[in-house]
Amino acid sequence: MGEKSKSKGCFGWFLVLVLLALVVGAIVYTIKKKTSHSDKPAPVPGPPGAVEKKYAEALKVAMQFFDVQKSGKLVNNKISWRGDSALKDGRDMGLDLTKGMYDAGDHMKFGFPMAFTATVLSWAILEYGDQMDVVDQLQPAQDSLKWITDYLISAHPKENVLIVQVGNPDKDHKCWERPESMAEERPLTQVNTSFPGTEVAAETAAAMASASLVFKKSDSTYSSSLLKHAQQLFNFADNHRGSYSVSIPQVQNFYNSTGYGDELLWAASWLYHATGDHSYLQYVSGKNGKDFANWGSPSWFSWDNKLAGTQVLLSRLSFFSGKDISGNSGLQMYRKTAEAVMCGLLPKSPTATTSRTESGLIWVSQWNSLQHPVASAFLAAVYSDYMLTSRTAELTCDGHSFKPSDLRDFAKDQADYILGNNPLKMSFLVGYGKKYPQYVHHRGASIPADATTGCRDGFKWLDSKKPNPNVAVGGLVGGPFLNETYIDSRNNSMQAEPSTYNGAVLVGLLSSLVTTSSAVQSFT
């Protein structure tokens, strides 16, 4: 009797312990589910893996928009309805400014967004060149980049002089004609010591510094030339501070700058990567960082605001350079702010931004609305790959932890929306998918290649009810309204106009998603 009673008591205690273990396990599981938002195994960093067909096809389409936008005497032209144009650009000053790219649906060469296009395209190549190469898009990307940097070199004829615009936008926008038919005067606009333009000079310095890294192995002479121009332009921008929006008030109607501090930090960051010169690192982490970086305040990455891009770019130093920057509190603040940017983008984060459509697309501005989701997704993909490559397991957002795969999922969601997974079931990338915009606001695409038109009589093609006779292949249109509607009309430039700089960011995003990927630990 006694032994039996003892056995029953032990069994009772055993049941209590089992139940207690189950309760504790449930609590731990609940906490883990609450604070970790992805059960997927993290991809293993390494060489590019299997190609994801959807993104590969989209990348091949997106890359072609640079060919659509090219100015000058075309080489190996792949766009049947395009031809040579603007062959006299720069001649009045004895310069060859025939290359470069038209900004959007017009025929202007705006130096500020064009330089940003080159910087982002360089960044995409540096991070994801291997992935591009797998789907035969690395060479086209490099060729398009060089078409811009050739122009930028010609636009910088003296240390403290930079041509920042070709054409008169007011007159250009009063014409609707093919670029091949242009006969109007195309005046040049410059910044110099008397009329400074810190933001555009610094952005051009960033473009040349980043491109110098792209061409360092394949063409060292060209790379050195780019770097020399970059250093001169940075010194010009920094030593003669002033906004080009003040020096040249006319630009306020088109690409108005909200400040130049972000471009100075952006350019210095790229110059550090290109040179290894620690004075550039001191520049961004010292007084200039305190003055301009807005540490702790997340912002949107765009042609006008480079802070989020700078924060992510400098974060790679803390991920991969360890000892060199471990005691640099300024660089640590860039990393913390980059983390805040990422936490704002993740939809399940406690600090997630509410600037989204009902379907989850990042939405900040009704004019050219897709620029912000594409740029945000590109930064998220890059940061995710920094985490993967450095074996950084988690990102903490106000007590909740997220994995690199969560950031990658966010990037994919934004890309998928653009490619057709949206309430309209329409691709916003022209030429991709079964349904995409047919009335793109683009002069060359809207006019038949064999039509003879002048400046004014071409407006009949703007007002035509017929779809564009030519496909502006690879163009990313402005995008949907907040209520996720889109008016496919040539006169709707707010939604229907593609831009070259959006194309560069989209190429970066798609390149990051083409295969399982990881970041390079060094650009050199």
Side-chain angles (χ1 to χ4, degrees), residues 170-412:
D170 292 319
K171 291 183 178 180
D172 181 274
H173 290 182
K174 290 177 182 176
C175 291
W176 194 270
E177 59 188 336
R178 301 180 68 245
E180 294 81 3
S181 303
M182 283 190 297
E184 298 75 37
E185 290 185 8
R186 290 171 61 78
L188 307 182
T189 303
Q190 65 173 263
V191 294
N192 50 45
T193 55
S194 299
F195 297 93
T198 294
E199 57 276 273
V200 65
E203 181 59 62
T204 308
M208 291 184 165
S210 55
S212 75
L213 287 164
V214 171
F215 297 110
K216 192 168 187 177
K217 292 181 180 178
S218 61
D219 191 339
S220 60
T221 302
Y222 188 67
S223 172
S224 297
S225 176
L226 286 167
L227 186 55
K228 180 181 178 181
H229 281 279
Q231 291 170 315
Q232 289 177 350
L233 280 166
F234 179 76
N235 291 335
F236 167 44
D238 193 35
N239 295 333
H240 300 276
R241 292 188 180 185
S243 174
Y244 94 137
S245 290
V246 175
S247 298
I248 313 166
Q250 307 92 288
V251 303
Q252 295 175 20
N253 295 325
F254 300 96
Y255 287 99
N256 182 48
S257 170
T258 55
Y260 55 70
D262 54 313
E263 279 83 21
L264 286 172
L265 299 176
W266 176 241
S269 301
W270 278 112
L271 279 163
Y272 173 71
H273 281 93
T275 64
D277 185 339
H278 278 260
S279 66
Y280 293 115
L281 211 53
Q282 293 164 1
Y283 185 97
V284 299
S285 58
K287 183 179 184 303
N288 292 291
K290 293 176 182 176
D291 289 345
F292 300 130
N294 290 341
W295 288 324
S297 301
S299 57
W300 300 106
F301 186 44
S302 71
W303 61 264
D304 180 44
N305 190 335
K306 318 301 169 16
L307 287 180
T310 303
Q311 287 145 7
V312 171
L313 179 64
L314 289 175
S315 291
R316 78 169 1 262
L317 298 178
S318 62
F319 279 114
F320 304 130
S321 299
K323 296 178 181 178
D324 293 342
I325 56 92
S326 57
N328 191 318
S329 60
L331 286 179
Q332 291 169 7
M333 288 304 298
Y334 283 105
R335 168 82 175 265
K336 287 183 179 179
T337 311
E339 289 177 350
V341 171
M342 296 303 123
C343 289
L345 297 177
L346 289 165
K348 294 183 180 180
S349 163
T351 57
T353 179
T354 57
S355 298
R356 303 175 199 265
T357 67
E358 189 175 333
S359 300
L361 180 75
I362 292 291
W363 198 95
V364 179
S365 169
Q366 66 176 0
W367 194 284
N368 191 14
S369 63
L370 286 178
Q371 66 172 317
H372 295 107
V374 174
S376 298
F378 172 61
L379 293 186
V382 170
Y383 202 85
S384 167
D385 287 333
Y386 289 173
M387 291 178 68
L388 272 178
T389 306
S390 63
R391 298 295 203 277
T392 303
E394 293 181 332
L395 166 69
T396 302
C397 303
D398 199 16
H400 291 233
S401 62
F402 297 86
K403 296 178 181 178
S405 57
D406 294 310
L407 285 171
R408 190 171 178 85
D409 286 345
F410 162 77
K412 282 187 172 184

Side-chain angles (χ1 to χ4, degrees), residues 40-102:
K40 298 177 183 177
V44 178
V51 171
E52 192 146 356
K53 185 178 179 182
K54 170 175 59 178
Y55 300 124
E57 290 179 352
L59 177 60
K60 291 175 183 177
V61 171
M63 198 72 75
Q64 293 179 67
F65 191 59
F66 298 125
D67 292 326
V68 169
Q69 296 300 93
K70 282 180 179 176
S71 165
K73 189 168 183 60
L74 303 183
V75 179
N76 298 323
N77 180 26
K78 301 177 181 67
I79 308 299
S80 62
W81 50 273
R82 279 302 324 278
D84 299 344
S85 63
L87 298 180
K88 296 181 181 179
D89 279 3
R91 186 176 294 182
D92 291 349
M93 283 185 60
L95 304 174
D96 180 3
L97 297 175
T98 57
K99 284 188 176 181
M101 294 186 185
Y102 300 120

Side-chain angles (χ1 to χ4, degrees), residues 12-45:
W13 279 110
F14 175 74
L15 282 176
V16 169
L17 288 172
V18 168
L19 287 171
L20 186 61
L22 288 171
V23 170
V24 170
I27 292 172
V28 169
Y29 176 77
T30 301
I31 292 173
K32 185 175 181 182
K33 287 294 285 183
K34 180 182 177 183
T35 58
S36 182
H37 293 267
S38 177
D39 296 323
K40 298 177 183 177
V44 178

